[in-house]
Amino acid sequence: MPKATWNGAVLAESDQTIVVEGNHYFPPDAINKEYFQDSDTHTTCPWKGVASYYSIAVDGQVNKDAAWYYPSTKEKAKNIEGYVAFWRGVKVENN
């Protein structure tokens, strides 16, 4: 089952991830919200839409903008709307 970890904490775990462009997108109910902080960062993907970001905070350390999601996707990406993906040192392993 895919699991996202950083700094010893399990950020998300689900057997319902959707892989897009090599990234596991976790369902919103699979993330451990205690580690997530809203960010003001946004980026745009031509076919997915505007992404919003979370910073990850574990044991006093912050990994800025290490998770992203699309709150409202374009039509071709509706299957990942609201789902969360990771980068910046967050390990996603399929155990």
Side-chain angles (χ1 to χ4, degrees):
M1 174 178 332
K3 176 167 63 173
T5 59
W6 183 72
N7 206 25
V10 176
L11 307 177
E13 191 169 17
S14 175
D15 58 3
Q16 304 291 312
T17 63
I18 299 171
V19 179
V20 176
E21 297 177 333
N23 295 302
H24 280 273
Y25 283 80
F26 289 80
D29 62 359
I31 67 169
N32 292 321
K33 292 186 175 26
E34 67 199 90
Y35 301 119
F36 291 72
Q37 301 174 341
D38 287 326
S39 169
D40 291 334
T41 302
H42 298 281
T43 57
T44 302
C45 170
W47 71 274
K48 290 186 241 107
V50 177
S52 295
Y53 286 78
Y54 292 116
S55 293
I56 305 298
V58 178
D59 292 335
Q61 295 187 43
V62 177
N63 190 345
K64 183 166 172 42
D65 298 339
W68 76 90
Y69 65 102
Y70 294 89
S72 181
T73 62
K74 292 188 176 181
E75 200 54 44
K76 289 182 180 175
K78 284 293 180 195
N79 63 323
I80 60 164
E81 190 168 280
Y83 280 49
V84 179
F86 300 93
W87 67 331
R88 297 204 168 149
V90 174
K91 278 190 190 163
V92 176
E93 298 170 306
N94 197 352
N95 297 339

